[in-house]
Amino acid sequence: MDVSQTVSFNNGDSIPILGFGVWAGMDPEVQRRSVEWLQTAIKAGYRHFDTALIYGTEKPLGETIRKSGVPREQFFICTKFPWNHHGRIVESFNESLENLGMDYVDLFLMHWPQYVVYEKDNFLPKHPDGTIRVTEERNFNQSWEVMEKLLETGKCKAIGVSNFSIKTLEKLFTTAKIIPAVNQIELHPYLVQEELVQYCREKGIVVVAYTPTGLDVVREDPVIIELAEKYNATPTQVILAWHLARGVVAVPKSADEGRQKENRMLPVLEPEDVKRISALDKNDRLCNKAFEVNGTLWGWTYEQLGWA
């Protein structure tokens, strides 16, 4: 499969269909060490990198790109403002540009729809019961208006959202003048989200999958193992090929140089095998489940997120 292909945005630009996630956990030292595996990722051929201010990897990513010798214009860079920056989006965006050491980004996303209370240097302000402190002072419709104005500056080539559902997208559309270029969501064979994928496709929104291989529990599924043997591939290669067969952009992450290279060598799946993988759907959210507190996830219920 040609992993260098791109998917067109609704604004005429395009995004590489296979990217590289730059999440490194919340330990600052581990974040700094991401330079090591970012260097090998660039050498392996990755040019689409997905980061966020809350990831703490913008500075290492920018540094690695500058030292790579590859011109900036050959890269596609996505970053996101965090849930507690809805009230300071422009400042957050400028902070990201400074971290990256770049004049522009190719894609700027609203990381989550909920508005978390802003506390300097604290992304997770909490109530005594452990739930995240959210507020209704602003809403994501107002945040989108700010992003639309940012787009006019040319410092971001496209804008989009992340973790939005049909419910939250429809609310966004009540005021939006610009349709999001992207909706980045958790997506893997145990969370196929076919209805949302089709909805986005009809609206001209590109779907980007994070946690695209679904962690070990999905990679070790008997069907995935069987198909890996059939195609003489790894389970990860099979799952990534499934995403690309659906026209979904995937942003896997690996710190291992060998696996980074493997993930760019994908088989072409037969249509019936694409269907077999989709049939594994359990509507099971694996990435965020561990962070649920008292019926909420990052401060909102599944109903508020439109996931219920």
Side-chain angles (χ1 to χ4, degrees):
M1 180 178 290
D2 180 12
V3 298
S4 65
Q5 62 183 295
T6 61
V7 178
S8 296
F9 281 156
N10 50 31
N11 66 359
D13 291 336
S14 60
I15 182 172
I17 198 165
L18 183 67
F20 190 91
V22 197
W23 162 253
M26 299 304 288
D27 183 329
E29 179 56 34
V30 175
Q31 293 169 354
R32 284 190 290 270
R33 291 204 304 269
S34 64
V35 168
E36 300 167 10
W37 42 265
L38 285 169
Q39 289 173 338
T40 57
I42 291 174
K43 289 179 181 178
Y46 292 91
R47 295 295 182 266
H48 168 191
F49 289 89
D50 181 83
T51 186
L53 193 148
I54 201 172
Y55 294 174
T57 53
E58 291 174 326
K59 287 183 179 180
L61 176 60
E63 174 188 337
T64 308
I65 287 174
R66 285 190 296 278
K67 292 181 177 180
S68 70
V70 180
R72 162 67 181 94
E73 58 269 21
Q74 292 187 20
F75 289 94
F76 184 99
I77 305 301
C78 170
T79 194
K80 319 170 189 74
F81 75 85
W83 42 41
N84 64 333
H85 283 198
H86 280 269
R88 57 186 310 274
I89 296 170
V90 174
E91 294 89 342
S92 187
F93 177 70
N94 288 332
E95 184 178 346
S96 288
L97 286 183
E98 182 177 354
N99 287 340
L100 289 161
M102 297 177 181
D103 297 326
Y104 72 95
V105 294
D106 300 275
L107 179 62
F108 186 52
L109 301 183
M110 184 187 309
H111 207 154
W112 287 83
Q114 63 268 43
Y115 181 161
V116 174
V117 172
Y118 176 71
E119 289 184 4
K120 185 175 175 59
D121 300 323
N122 182 13
F123 289 118
L124 296 171
K126 297 179 180 179
H127 293 291
D129 66 355
T131 56
I132 303 298
R133 293 175 58 208
V134 293
T135 175
E136 300 300 323
E137 290 178 11
R138 290 177 60 87
N139 57 54
F140 57 73
N141 292 78
Q142 293 169 302
S143 296
W144 189 250
E145 291 177 13
V146 177
M147 295 179 71
E148 289 176 330
K149 292 177 182 176
L150 267 178
L151 187 63
E152 296 173 2
T153 69
K155 292 182 179 181
C156 52
K157 304 301 183 183
I159 54 175
V161 295
S162 182
N163 296 299
F164 270 59
S165 61
I166 293 176
K167 176 180 179 177
T168 48
L169 282 170
E170 289 189 338
K171 183 178 179 182
L172 182 68
F173 293 152
T174 62
T175 59
K177 297 176 183 177
I178 296 172
I179 300 296
V182 155
N183 184 19
Q184 185 178 123
I185 56 176
E186 181 182 351
L187 193 65
H188 46 73
Y190 280 11
L191 185 66
V192 174
Q193 304 219 63
E194 184 64 28
E195 185 179 3
L196 178 55
V197 169
Q198 291 300 326
Y199 178 88
C200 287
R201 186 166 291 138
E202 291 168 4
K203 297 293 184 180
I205 301 170
V206 173
V207 173
V208 176
Y210 71 79
T211 318
T213 64
L215 311 179
D216 286 344
V217 65
V218 179
R219 293 190 290 265
E220 294 172 359
D221 185 278
V223 171
I224 300 298
I225 296 295
E226 177 191 333
L227 291 175
E229 293 174 354
K230 174 181 177 178
Y231 289 98
N232 192 28
T234 68
T236 293
Q237 287 173 317
V238 168
I239 297 171
L240 292 176
W242 169 75
H243 282 293
L244 273 56
R246 298 178 78 201
V248 169
V249 176
V251 287
K253 177 257 177 177
S254 176
D256 182 270
E257 184 175 5
R259 286 194 290 271
Q260 289 173 355
K261 293 177 181 177
E262 281 181 354
N263 293 349
R264 292 184 58 80
M265 297 182 289
L266 306 182
V268 176
L269 303 181
E270 296 174 5
E272 58 266 31
D273 290 331
V274 174
K275 293 178 181 178
R276 285 188 69 194
I277 296 173
S278 296
L280 297 175
D281 187 29
K282 302 176 186 292
N283 194 32
D284 194 357
R285 298 181 186 276
L286 302 172
C287 181
N288 294 295
K289 186 183 298 182
F291 303 103
E292 295 173 1
V293 178
N294 293 336
T296 67
L297 176 68
W298 310 124
W300 269 14
T301 64
Y302 272 27
E303 182 177 358
Q304 287 174 296
L305 288 163
W307 295 355

